[in-house]
Amino acid sequence: MVTRRDFIKCAGGAVAALGGVETALASTGPHLDPDRVGVLCDFTLCIGCRRCEFACAEEAGLPHGELRAYDDTGVFAATRRPDAESLTVINRYPALSADHKPLDVKVNCLHCEHPACVSACPVTALQKNALGPVTYDPWRCIGCRYCMVACPFQIPAYEYHDATAPRVMKCTLCQDRTLEQGRPPACVEICPQEALLYGSRASLLRVAKARIEAHPDRYVDHVYGETEAGGTSWLYLADRDFHQLDLPEVASTSPAEVTESIQHGIFKGFSGPLMLAALVGVILKSAGACEKCEAEAAARNEAGKEADHE
Amino acid sequence: MSNRHAVPFVTPGVGILMALAAAGLAVLAARLFWGLGAVTNLDNQYPWGLWIGVDVATGVALAAGGFTTAFVAHVMHRHQYEAIVRPALLTAMLGYTFAGLGVCVDLGRYYNIWHFFVPGLPNGNSALFEVGMCVCIYLTVLYIEFLPVVCERFRGRVKLPGALGNLDGFTEGLLRVVDRTMDRVITVFIVLGVVLSCAHQSSLGTLMVIAPTKLHPLWHSTVLPLQFLLSAFAVGLAMAIFESFLASRSLKRPYEVAVLAPLSRVLPFLLTVYFAAKVIDMANRGTYAHLAELTPQTLSWLAEVGIGVVLPAALLMTHRLRRSPGWLFAASAMIVGGVALNRLNVFVIGYKAPYADTAYVPSIPEILLTVGFISLLVLLYRAFVFIFPVLHEEGESHHA
Ligand code: SF4
Ligand code: SF4
């Protein structure tokens, strides 16, 4: 049965095109500077004063009350998530034992090394700056919210109630301060406990490991963000397993690796589409002896000639 | 409106569709004035909902008849199937138009959509960029493929009103040139349509590959693009059969079983390939274990695969059932429903963000807009069928 065979051929071509996925080279991800910055966040030093929440709102031009209002610890009753009006929040987790203190966990964009949100954004509104920050340009954004689908940490929030120019809202590591003025992010600057350290990611990773080594009783032996989702600019230290603190267990490669190799495998140099076009062409011509088509072509030629004579 | 059919354009059913379409347009106005937050239940946990799952993903899948029928009739030279090419082309043209509209309604900054075409802005890594780009180009190809139908309708019959009458001759000439050019180049557009369709039908599946921790393991897989493509092949033909029955019924024309039954022979084969791509992958990843859990997701998977794939494939293997209009219609409806449910599963039902504390249920306005757009699409389909020679007439053959 020719029908069946031809369908097999077509499906086969598609499989071959997708098969490119397997052979595609691992994608490279964004270009990164060896001196790119990061923030080391030591939950065991944080006292939950929420000054960083205040400084962040102020810096980002978002609604915020007096600094005093942030002394309210009532908010710790519920686990909060960052949203369009607060790009960072502190959550409190109970102390492990009587001689531990409660653990305060800062939640915000982790500024992935190979960010899924950046890979997903169709119009490069989100970008990974070689120096570390994952920046956002609302002017480019079309508001598709694919970045929100892609982020493995469920970070970007959206201004759903803005009818005309809604923005994707997430920490940009104070992109204006850090990239243009060379100053640390607002949250780091205001932190009274030095629970937040700003510097080159490589050196912060060394500091983090040195702290674990010096105080094995104080820390769990894991720097969260060293490899999570392919590594992140934010690095965390804690006294317990991170999933107890609602930090997700994610693969050590970026989710963007897979999709990028699929996209590249099929579309680099248009090899996939070209192969498919060639295949369709071959099927089209291999049935060339089709009487109906030939008769019709002949009829068209005749008609064409007549029309030209008119 | 010139009436080429035995029934009037407006019937009670058409009246209902008009009312639904009006309600949908009212929601559209509300969305433009008050924003997405006011009319949808979307939030930071569920950034995509009904509009992406149904209007866009399902719409594009069900419009796959455009390239699959053209492939069968014109690339494989099965000319006996030409009768269904034009209706499927019309469905594709309208389906893609509405999928594009659906995207724009959902975009927070729809007025920035032109950024897709600004050098320097597009991101080649983004599956969404690739889908958007292919859909834009393919939509243009579909409009071009429809030109011969327009020419056939008006050639030799141009009679413009009033002073425009002076342009009659010019318009005739223009139509003749377009028609003759299209005759020569149509094959190029058909091949282009097949390639673009394969590209974006599969990339639609790539979209969710980037969310391995959010999409339920019953659906998440790196071969989602292949599964989307294979299901598009099947649903394209099934949709052509399904809508042929609906059109015949609504316009009081005889059922085209003589054409549809032989075409349906290939469906069990296509469905089996699709089924294999699903279960082999499941076996590889061991995700069948999730079927033992009794969750809404499991039930939805079973419905999608059992009623949408296995059952119709079994039904259509029987010669007698293929020849029966009732069974053929039922089987094609199951396939259409199954693939629609698959798209809904992948984009909505199977999606759960790690910190989601509530479930997403579409709001009434969201549903009204989706239903309204589908109604509008059906109305336009009917209008096109009344105005243009889309449906096959006895003793006449098209070559589109
Ligand atoms: S945490 Fe999410 S939003 Fe932040 S860079 Fe990573 S993927 Fe993007
Ligand atoms: S919502 Fe904006 S930033 Fe996010 S992916 Fe879409 S265009 Fe990019």
Side-chain angles (χ1 to χ4, degrees):
Chain A
M1 241 172 80
V2 186
T3 316
R4 203 160 279 191
R5 210 179 327 118
D6 285 347
F7 266 106
I8 294 173
K9 269 196 257 169
C10 180
V15 175
L18 287 161
V21 176
E22 309 302 331
T23 52
L25 301 166
S27 62
T28 50
H31 163 74
L32 296 174
D33 191 299
D35 291 329
R36 62 192 177 278
V37 296
V39 177
L40 174 61
C41 176
D42 189 334
F43 296 153
T44 67
L45 297 179
C46 176
I47 53 167
C49 67
R50 299 176 57 217
R51 275 159 200 270
C52 53
E53 290 186 22
F54 169 83
C56 176
E58 194 181 47
E59 175 72 23
L62 293 167
H64 60 89
E66 301 268 311
L67 180 54
R68 256 182 301 121
Y70 285 82
D71 290 338
D72 173 21
T73 52
V75 294
F76 294 140
T79 311
R80 295 176 301 154
R81 296 289 307 162
D83 60 27
E85 295 193 335
S86 32
L87 310 185
T88 186
V89 294
I90 302 281
N91 286 319
R92 176 161 291 175
Y93 294 80
L96 279 180
S97 68
D99 31 281
H100 282 79
K101 69 166 204 67
L103 209 63
D104 294 298
V105 172
K106 186 175 189 296
V107 188
N108 49 254
C109 169
L110 286 83
H111 297 268
C112 304
E113 299 260 272
H114 186 180
C117 62
V118 168
S119 177
C121 179
V123 289
T124 53
L126 290 162
Q127 291 187 15
K128 176 71 175 173
N129 190 287
L131 290 173
V134 174
T135 61
Y136 175 62
D137 178 354
W139 181 84
R140 292 184 176 216
C141 178
I142 59 170
C144 64
R145 307 185 300 286
Y146 189 29
C147 49
M148 301 171 68
V149 171
C151 170
F153 301 102
Q154 200 190 317
I155 290 295
Y158 201 60
E159 294 184 318
Y160 283 105
H161 285 279
D162 188 328
T164 50
R167 290 171 298 173
V168 168
M169 300 300 283
K170 72 164 199 74
C171 158
T172 62
L173 209 71
C174 295
Q175 63 189 64
D176 295 339
R177 289 170 72 117
T178 49
L179 292 175
E180 270 149 46
Q181 305 159 12
R183 294 160 66 203
C187 56
V188 175
E189 205 169 69
I190 204 168
C191 178
Q193 292 301 105
E194 292 192 0
L196 301 174
L197 278 186
Y198 175 72
S200 95
R201 181 180 186 270
S203 65
L204 292 176
L205 199 52
R206 280 196 297 275
V207 172
K209 289 187 169 165
R211 283 191 195 172
I212 293 174
E213 206 172 322
H215 305 281
D217 49 326
R218 185 176 177 140
Y219 297 106
V220 60
D221 186 12
H222 181 178
V223 183
Y224 192 95
E226 181 180 7
T227 59
E228 273 73 14
T232 62
S233 300
W234 278 66
L235 302 167
Y236 297 106
L237 286 175
D239 63 3
R240 62 194 89 172
D241 259 6
F242 285 91
H243 67 256
Q244 293 173 357
L245 305 170
D246 296 322
L247 278 154
E249 281 180 70
V250 292
S252 60
T253 51
S254 165
E257 295 271 333
V258 182
T259 43
E260 286 178 11
S261 50
I262 293 178
Q263 289 297 99
H264 293 189
I266 302 178
F267 293 100
K268 258 289 133 70
F270 285 99
S271 52
L274 284 178
M275 265 160 51
L276 186 58
L279 188 79
V280 176
V282 168
I283 300 173
L284 186 80
K285 288 295 168 211
S286 69
C290 171
E291 284 164 25
K292 175 147 193 241
C293 289
E294 281 181 3
E296 274 182 7
R300 266 205 302 278
N301 274 339
E302 277 304 305
K305 267 182 217 141
E306 268 169 36
D308 291 341
H309 283 307
E310 271 168 24
Chain B
M1 190 170 298
S2 91
N3 193 346
R4 48 180 73 242
H5 299 290
V7 292
F9 182 77
V10 181
T11 61
V14 169
I16 296 174
L17 288 177
M18 286 175 167
L20 290 172
L25 292 176
V27 174
L28 175 62
R31 180 258 170 271
L32 292 176
F33 277 114
W34 292 297
L36 287 168
V39 292
T40 70
N41 279 348
L42 298 174
D43 55 24
N44 294 333
Q45 319 174 40
Y46 297 97
W48 284 357
L50 188 70
W51 294 347
I52 296 293
V54 174
D55 302 28
V56 182
T58 307
V60 166
L62 299 193
F67 84 98
T68 46
T69 57
F71 183 81
V72 172
H74 296 313
V75 177
M76 287 169 45
H77 305 271
R78 299 293 118 113
H79 298 285
Q80 65 271 34
Y81 297 126
E82 271 169 25
I84 55 159
V85 172
R86 279 191 180 179
L89 172 63
L90 177 58
T91 314
M93 192 173 90
L94 295 175
Y96 275 92
T97 306
F98 277 85
L101 274 177
V103 172
C104 289
V105 175
D106 194 79
L107 291 179
R109 298 180 174 220
Y110 47 87
Y111 46 81
N112 277 348
I113 188 75
W114 54 277
H115 287 179
F116 268 57
F117 306 98
V118 179
L121 295 194
N123 171 14
N125 287 334
S126 168
L128 188 61
F129 169 69
E130 199 258 309
V131 170
M133 209 58 186
C134 275
V135 167
C136 282
I137 305 174
Y138 184 49
L139 190 53
T140 316
V141 168
L142 284 169
Y143 287 139
I144 294 173
E145 283 187 40
F146 198 74
L147 279 178
V149 186
V150 178
C151 293
E152 186 182 315
R153 166 68 179 80
F154 291 112
R155 265 190 80 175
R157 275 176 268 188
V158 174
K159 216 167 170 296
L160 296 170
L164 288 175
N166 293 331
L167 295 174
D168 279 358
F170 172 77
T171 316
E172 278 289 353
L174 189 69
L175 285 175
R176 195 166 63 226
V177 172
V178 171
D179 207 11
R180 296 240 311 267
T181 318
M182 283 311 297
D183 243 6
R184 300 221 170 97
V185 298
I186 190 79
T187 320
V188 175
F189 285 104
I190 288 171
V191 175
L192 194 60
V194 172
V195 174
L196 287 168
S197 294
C198 288
H200 71 254
Q201 292 284 359
S202 57
S203 297
L204 217 51
T206 315
L207 283 182
M208 278 296 165
V209 175
I210 206 164
T213 52
K214 296 179 175 178
L215 180 56
H216 195 286
L218 282 176
W219 292 282
H220 186 272
S221 157
T222 45
V223 294
L224 257 182
L226 178 65
Q227 293 168 348
F228 265 50
L229 183 64
L230 294 173
S231 55
F233 290 153
V235 82
L237 296 182
M239 189 67 191
I241 297 174
F242 177 73
E243 66 182 78
S244 168
F245 277 112
L246 287 185
S248 295
R249 181 159 187 131
S250 162
L251 300 170
K252 302 209 168 29
R253 296 156 47 93
Y255 295 131
E256 299 183 285
V257 180
V259 179
L260 304 179
L263 181 69
S264 71
R265 262 184 333 188
V266 73
L267 283 172
F269 169 72
L270 292 176
L271 289 171
T272 308
V273 175
Y274 169 49
F275 182 70
K278 265 179 111 86
V279 291
I280 294 175
D281 175 55
M282 271 187 113
N284 274 342
R285 293 178 302 117
T287 47
Y288 48 81
H290 294 276
L291 288 175
E293 305 157 5
L294 204 68
T295 61
Q297 281 74 22
T298 324
L299 295 179
S300 204
W301 190 93
L302 288 173
E304 170 202 324
V305 176
I307 307 174
V309 182
V310 178
L311 186 56
L315 291 175
L316 291 175
M317 298 233 227
T318 322
H319 176 75
R320 193 175 53 81
L321 297 187
R322 280 200 305 270
R323 310 283 326 173
S324 137
W327 282 108
L328 184 53
F329 176 72
S332 60
M334 284 177 208
I335 300 172
V336 169
V339 173
L341 183 57
N342 170 261
R343 299 307 192 256
L344 197 62
N345 280 337
V346 168
F347 286 95
V348 182
I349 296 173
Y351 184 90
K352 187 171 182 292
Y355 301 102
D357 48 15
T358 51
Y360 163 78
V361 179
S363 70
I364 306 267
E366 275 179 277
I367 298 172
L368 280 179
L369 184 121
T370 295
V371 172
F373 271 18
I374 296 172
S375 306
L376 202 54
L377 190 154
V378 174
L379 286 174
L380 279 174
Y381 186 97
R382 192 174 170 91
F384 269 82
V385 163
F386 270 70
I387 299 172
F388 294 104
V390 171
L391 297 182
H392 184 70
E393 323 239 336
E394 272 322 306
E396 181 199 1
S397 93
H398 310 305
H399 196 291

